[in-house]
Amino acid sequence: MALVVQKFGGTSVADPQKIVAAAKKAIARQQGGHQVVVVVSAMGHQTDVLVDLAKAITDRPSAREMDMLLSTGEQVSVALFAMAIQSLGHKAVSLTGAQIGIRTDSTHTKARIKSISTDHVKSLLDSGAIVIAAGFQGIDQNGNITTLGRGGSDTTAVALAAVLDADLCEIYTDVDGVYTTDPRLLPEARRLGSISYDEMLELASLGAGVMHSRSIEFAKKFGVKVLVRSSFKDVPGTVILSAEESTPRPASGVALAKDEARITLENVPDQPGSSHALFSRLAASGIAVDMIVQNVGQGGRADISFTVPADDVPEALELSGAVAKQLGASGVSHDAELAKVSVVGVGMERAEGVAGRMFTALSAAGINVRMITTSEIKISVLVDKSDAQAAVQAVHRAFGLDAETAEGEADVAGSHLVKSSPLEVVRRLEGMEDLAIEDCQLDASQALVTFTELPDTPGVAAEVFEELGRAGLNVDMIVQSHPRDGRAEISFTVPAGDRDKAIVAAQKIASARGAAVADVPHVAKLSITGVGIRSHAGVADRLFKPLADCGINIDLVSTSEVRLNVVVAAEHGQKSLEVLRKAFGL
Ligand code: ADP
Ligand code: ASP
Ligand code: MG
């Protein structure tokens, strides 16, 4: 007998008929000989309705009372769901997060799960009942109701699947799987038969709303197999599984974060500790920063730019202003009318010319790229909000995501699904949802090349990476800073053996464009790998602080959900490795 967790999203339980239809799916699973736990979201847009109610009373509702209010949406739907099953002649018991024993921290409205007790649920299952669990909610150590953040029912479902050692976690929703991009945004998007945890984690955290990214953290850490499928159509879905079981593709999908803002501290004294001063303040307020770019600057001063979701702008600006003053920076600028477009693929690292292809497509569409950062499995660019849709389409087409041959069918019955094993690091965690750092490694084989004074016009990045591609260069990290006074900076790393070739190619472009080229022939790249690196606020800062304390300056940074890379001068490589291993308890 297998144990299956099924999760039904808001649209899947929007009215009584849909609840009954969903209840029949749970019953069918149980009749197939399995134990079934169902996780349910609030009906339809009920959570939005409750948010609006609170806003009608006050602009600044307290977070604790918001949780008290929002958790009622799920309490309604679990009760109705259990009644539906009972009315069809089967046993069901509904439980709130507190009744299950979903313990969280006390960060109201975005609480993280610490532990889940399984005794009560298991005894109900053993008695033959289908257990209906309220999604999105838990309880803190003082008995306060907490919620996990919007979309958090996915996280409840996968976390329950993890602790119950479920064979499968089915996510029933209003699309029939994970698509190459949001099908509502781009009708030519295609369903993927399968996708790896790392890709889904990255896509979800970069804007693909189909899964709550924290649910994929659980899936990867605990080896839970997830199947995303339609509530309304009996068609194959998308299986989310480990990288070993999935096919590596240079690009699996394109994500859009529509409301992204860039904040820049201008003319910051370029010394160790500046980044730490800034990012520790942001982390302390729970603001998760994504793209971080520091330009090389002039006269011992540099600009530090970073992106945050537009909602966090007021608070991030206030904190940045205070830090700018303290550091003696000349000022703070920002732009909240931006969007972030990212392409994600685990096979990207081994494919050639991926970055060039993306920038060429954006250039051909006349889109100016405001900032670039890359990691091993993704490239993110910042564009004007008005260009967002065109950018997604251009990038999606450039990687042939609209036309790829039909995907393998997902195994809907789940009969051949073999569970992956939990990551080793899980044993060391105190709380289930704690940040999981697995390793820190040093790569001392690269050179760093930087263009300064590049004109800020569409097509510059494309030209640079097309030329490097023609020279047969394999570029690793790429960063383009936020342009100032019409001039941008692009830095990239290549294998140190290719440094001379890279300089020749770079100088060719630089002389045609009136730019300058500088380089560091040997740099050290440190990579920290784990799960949930970007979504846990403050991870980047845990790296800035120990390096600053040793007087080590950081040349480049890039973040993803599964990896954090920093580039420092070669002579600091070993020392950096030591302090970082210590800082992350490795
Ligand atoms: P639920 O209420 O079931 O949790 P959501 O609205 O949270 O459903 O998620 C499903 C929606 O996610 C889809 O309707 C789709 O518009 C959106 N979406 C965004 N990116 C993707 C993607 N890459 N693949 C599929 N759906 C996506
Ligand atoms: N009802 C909550 C929300 O709308 C949680 C969820 O649906 O996942 O965000
Ligand atoms: Mg959802």
Side-chain angles (χ1 to χ4, degrees):
M1 186 195 302
L3 197 157
V4 176
V5 174
Q6 299 185 318
K7 179 253 171 181
F8 293 90
T11 39
S12 310
V13 290
D15 57 44
Q17 291 74 24
K18 289 194 173 121
I19 293 179
V20 172
K24 286 182 180 160
K25 287 195 163 66
I27 293 168
R29 264 283 182 218
Q30 194 191 40
Q31 290 189 322
H34 307 305
Q35 292 192 320
V36 181
V37 174
V38 177
V39 174
V40 194
S41 289
M43 291 171 72
H45 296 288
Q46 184 58 23
T47 310
D48 294 328
V49 171
L50 294 169
V51 169
D52 289 344
L53 265 178
K55 278 194 200 144
I57 302 273
T58 165
D59 283 345
R60 310 189 67 174
S62 81
R64 182 189 182 280
E65 301 313 326
M66 264 328 259
D67 281 352
M68 195 70 166
L69 178 68
L70 298 193
S71 65
T72 62
E74 272 70 11
Q75 196 171 331
V76 170
S77 54
V78 285
L80 293 173
F81 204 107
M83 288 176 201
I85 292 181
Q86 290 163 359
S87 72
L88 293 163
H90 295 266
K91 268 176 90 176
V93 178
S94 65
L95 297 173
T96 63
Q99 287 173 323
I100 295 168
I102 300 185
R103 297 261 162 215
T104 71
D105 62 21
S106 301
T107 327
H108 284 291
T109 75
K110 43 184 171 192
R112 291 225 176 229
I113 297 175
K114 285 177 148 337
S115 65
I116 302 181
S117 24
T118 53
D119 298 354
H120 191 31
V121 172
K122 278 187 179 155
S123 70
L124 288 170
L125 289 172
D126 290 341
S127 75
I130 296 177
V131 173
I132 319 298
F136 167 64
Q137 54 178 264
I139 187 170
D140 76 359
Q141 59 177 0
N142 299 316
N144 297 300
I145 293 178
T146 53
T147 64
L148 309 180
R150 297 303 305 271
S153 295
D154 296 330
T155 295
T156 306
V158 183
L160 272 171
V163 291
L164 294 168
D165 207 18
D167 299 81
L168 178 65
C169 181
E170 291 181 304
I171 305 288
Y172 284 94
T173 183
D174 61 358
V175 268
D176 59 6
V178 177
Y179 277 64
T180 47
T181 195
D182 187 345
R184 263 191 248 189
L185 187 75
L186 206 63
E188 66 207 45
R190 290 174 27 264
R191 184 183 60 80
L192 296 162
S194 67
I195 186 166
S196 68
Y197 293 135
D198 286 0
E199 289 169 314
M200 193 64 239
L201 192 51
E202 210 51 44
L203 283 170
S205 135
L206 292 168
V210 61
M211 290 295 293
H212 198 228
S213 77
R214 285 163 51 192
S215 69
I216 311 299
E217 289 182 36
F218 277 107
K220 177 172 180 186
K221 284 196 314 206
F222 295 88
V224 178
K225 205 143 280 183
V226 179
L227 175 60
V228 182
R229 54 187 308 197
S230 167
S231 265
F232 311 119
K233 285 189 276 177
D234 195 13
V235 291
T238 301
V239 194
I240 310 174
L241 32 65
S242 69
E244 295 77 52
E245 299 163 283
S246 70
T247 338
R249 293 170 286 234
S252 282
V254 178
L256 168 67
K258 283 199 290 289
D259 300 297
E260 199 75 358
R262 186 255 326 148
I263 296 181
T264 302
L265 270 69
E266 295 177 347
N267 294 315
V268 181
D270 190 11
Q271 63 205 20
S274 300
S275 293
H276 167 55
L278 174 63
F279 295 112
S280 61
R281 287 287 280 277
L282 294 165
S285 296
I287 297 177
V289 167
D290 183 22
M291 301 167 83
I292 298 176
V293 175
Q294 184 170 339
N295 72 354
V296 173
Q298 285 173 344
R301 291 190 169 246
D303 293 351
I304 306 177
S305 300
F306 59 94
T307 62
V308 290
D311 285 349
D312 286 334
V313 167
E315 199 179 352
L317 268 182
E318 202 179 303
L319 296 169
S320 302
V323 176
K325 213 178 244 169
Q326 175 198 325
L327 293 176
S330 67
V332 178
S333 72
H334 79 285
D335 184 348
E337 290 300 309
L338 298 169
K340 181 173 65 189
V341 177
S342 308
V343 60
V344 173
V346 286
M348 188 176 284
E349 220 179 335
R350 265 159 282 128
E352 271 174 30
V354 173
R357 211 188 307 176
M358 175 159 180
F359 305 142
T360 302
L362 291 166
S363 157
I367 295 165
N368 205 4
V369 174
R370 303 281 171 196
M371 233 158 87
I372 303 171
T373 57
T374 67
S375 89
E376 282 66 10
I377 64 164
K378 64 117 196 184
I379 305 172
S380 292
V381 297
L382 213 53
V383 299
D384 291 344
K385 205 181 246 184
S386 53
D387 287 334
Q389 165 97 20
V392 169
Q393 184 165 47
V395 174
H396 193 258
R397 286 196 179 156
F399 288 99
L401 294 175
D402 53 333
E404 215 171 292
T405 47
E407 280 279 328
E409 306 274 272
D411 181 358
V412 179
S415 53
H416 303 109
L417 291 176
V418 183
K419 273 173 52 61
S420 313
S421 13
L423 297 181
E424 178 61 32
V425 67
V426 164
R427 282 202 245 148
R428 301 202 300 263
L429 301 180
E430 269 176 44
M432 275 188 88
E433 210 175 341
D434 285 359
L435 171 71
I437 297 295
E438 289 177 282
D439 201 6
C440 177
Q441 282 186 342
L442 168 65
D443 169 3
S445 70
Q446 300 204 25
L448 172 67
V449 180
T450 301
F451 285 95
T452 54
E453 299 289 307
L454 273 169
D456 173 30
T457 44
V460 172
E463 203 176 300
V464 167
F465 291 97
E466 279 164 15
E467 182 61 38
L468 296 173
R470 275 194 293 274
L473 291 163
N474 205 351
V475 175
D476 181 18
M477 282 170 79
I478 300 173
V479 164
Q480 181 194 302
S481 69
H482 159 61
R484 221 164 27 104
D485 307 325
R487 301 266 133 185
E489 243 180 58
I490 295 182
S491 297
F492 60 92
T493 61
V494 284
D498 285 343
R499 178 248 172 195
D500 293 347
K501 230 166 49 173
I503 294 288
V504 172
Q507 259 151 4
K508 199 165 142 193
I509 306 157
S511 57
R513 288 286 200 160
V517 177
D519 85 307
V520 185
H522 292 282
V523 288
K525 173 180 166 189
L526 293 124
S527 300
I528 291 165
T529 46
V531 185
I533 289 179
R534 198 175 35 221
S535 67
H536 285 76
V539 183
D541 186 56
R542 274 172 64 186
L543 169 148
F544 292 134
K545 179 169 169 29
L547 294 178
D549 288 347
C550 300
I552 297 171
N553 223 348
I554 295 172
D555 289 327
L556 286 187
V557 188
S558 79
T559 59
S560 74
E561 282 296 348
V562 293
R563 200 153 168 153
L564 179 55
N565 297 315
V566 281
V567 172
V568 300
E571 67 265 29
H572 296 315
Q574 271 305 331
K575 180 77 191 164
S576 303
L577 183 64
E578 265 166 51
V579 298
L580 291 180
R581 285 191 153 271
K582 200 160 148 229
F584 286 97
L586 294 168

